[in-house]
Amino acid sequence: MSVKKVILIRHGQSKWNLLNKFTGWNDVELSDLGKKEAVKAANLLKMNKINFNYSFSSMLTRSIHTLWIILKTLNKTWVTVDKDWKLNERHYGALQGLNKDEMVKKYGEEKVHKWRRSYKISPPKIKNFNSLFSGYDERYENIGLNNFPKGESLELTEKRVVEFWKEKLLPHMKLQKKIIIVAHGNSLRALIKYLGNIDDVLISRLDIPTGSPIVYEFNKNYLPIRYYFL
Ligand SMILES: O=C(O)[C@H](O)COP(=O)(O)O
């Protein structure tokens, strides 16, 4: 059986991961540790002889820079980088920029856990036109202001990630491309939920660490078999 592999990686630690702030679509750079995690991820791929020749990233700098570091470390800067907003982190709505521990103190553990890990519950939405609204950013001009996310549940995130999978990833896999995806904690949780048909409760227990390569295997019909962390 010819097993096909897709590599999934959450970006390295960002400056707001370090400060424990809700980030979502806020465009935050990698921390120094995050840059080191990206180099380590590249070396892990090399050691395990996991190769790729096509790459996808979200539109957010922390993912793009993680991918650039991986490509540079592996001498593969020739690889196409295909960026898609549908891989962006879940939009964290009005929580973006706020400290996670302070929100626990203010609203309690249970509520914050629901905002962070439940499948169907969305965070409080941002109001149009405040500083958390990135709808005027030129990188998102094809989304359209009316469709622009203002706070997404994991369920809503899954919807757009599955569109990416069907419209972009599968066609490239069928062209025999070996693919790496660099994205985010929740966009990758949404993808893993979809691929593994994982139920809403079990997926709430999955936490994806920064900078740790995941190998997802597929059979010759492009159906998911299993995944594992390197
Ligand atoms: O956007 C964020 O704050 C993080 O990337 C993911 O946060 P979470 O662990 O609260 O889902």
Side-chain angles (χ1 to χ4, degrees):
M1 186 174 67
S2 79
V3 173
K4 295 166 200 314
K5 296 185 170 93
V6 175
I7 307 155
L8 311 176
I9 304 190
R10 180 180 177 196
H11 60 82
Q13 186 197 60
S14 74
K15 290 186 172 168
W16 278 18
N17 291 144
L18 183 61
L19 295 173
N20 203 22
K21 284 181 173 190
F22 287 99
T23 313
W25 283 42
N26 262 64
D27 202 17
V28 178
E29 230 324 344
L30 293 173
S31 67
D32 288 342
L33 175 63
K35 291 176 191 162
K36 288 188 188 131
E37 287 175 334
V39 174
K40 197 171 155 201
N43 288 329
L44 264 176
L45 292 172
K46 193 172 175 179
M47 261 168 44
N48 287 278
K49 298 189 172 41
I50 309 281
N51 197 16
F52 61 88
N53 55 19
Y54 199 86
S55 66
F56 287 103
S57 156
S58 74
M59 284 283 186
L60 292 163
T61 305
R62 56 195 187 274
S63 279
I64 298 168
H65 286 184
T66 299
L67 181 53
W68 285 359
I69 293 171
I70 292 172
L71 296 178
K72 189 155 187 280
T73 308
L74 295 173
N75 274 325
K76 285 171 95 71
T77 49
W78 52 269
V79 167
T80 301
V81 178
D82 197 335
K83 303 183 191 83
D84 196 319
W85 69 267
K86 290 183 180 171
L87 287 171
N88 272 18
E89 182 53 291
R90 163 254 285 274
H91 196 296
Y92 248 134
L95 297 176
Q96 290 184 177
L98 300 174
N99 181 282
K100 294 178 186 177
D101 288 335
E102 281 167 19
M103 290 301 102
V104 168
K105 278 186 207 135
K106 193 164 172 188
Y107 295 102
E109 190 99 39
E110 201 185 321
K111 184 150 192 110
V112 174
H113 187 263
K114 275 192 185 138
W115 282 333
R116 294 182 65 189
R117 290 294 170 265
S118 73
Y119 180 59
K120 290 191 180 280
I121 294 173
S122 296
K125 298 223 182 333
I126 54 164
K127 306 256 180 304
N128 255 350
F129 315 124
N130 74 11
S131 61
L132 298 172
F133 184 66
S134 32
Y136 297 114
D137 189 318
E138 63 184 336
R139 80 188 95 176
Y140 301 127
E141 66 191 5
N142 63 343
I143 300 181
L145 283 185
N146 289 338
N147 298 325
F148 201 84
K150 300 192 187 75
E152 297 175 299
S153 60
L154 192 67
E155 186 178 29
L156 287 171
T157 311
E158 183 183 358
K159 201 166 161 288
R160 59 169 161 90
V161 170
V162 171
E163 284 167 8
F164 157 81
W165 187 263
K166 291 183 176 162
E167 290 161 18
K168 287 273 208 51
L169 193 123
L170 270 181
H172 281 86
M173 221 198 312
K174 288 179 182 169
L175 289 171
Q176 306 310 318
K177 297 284 186 206
K178 297 186 187 114
I179 297 165
I180 182 169
I181 300 176
V182 184
H184 300 263
N186 292 295
S187 51
L188 291 176
R189 284 202 313 124
L191 181 59
I192 287 173
K193 182 180 192 313
Y194 165 71
L195 292 173
N197 197 18
I198 298 172
D199 76 42
D200 300 5
V201 177
L202 269 186
I203 198 62
S204 72
R205 298 190 196 133
L206 175 66
D207 259 318
I208 300 179
T210 49
S212 298
I214 298 169
V215 178
Y216 215 122
E217 294 184 343
F218 297 83
N219 70 16
K220 63 177 182 357
N221 298 318
Y222 310 98
L223 295 172
I225 305 172
R226 62 167 186 152
Y227 73 88
Y228 53 90
F229 283 88
L230 286 186

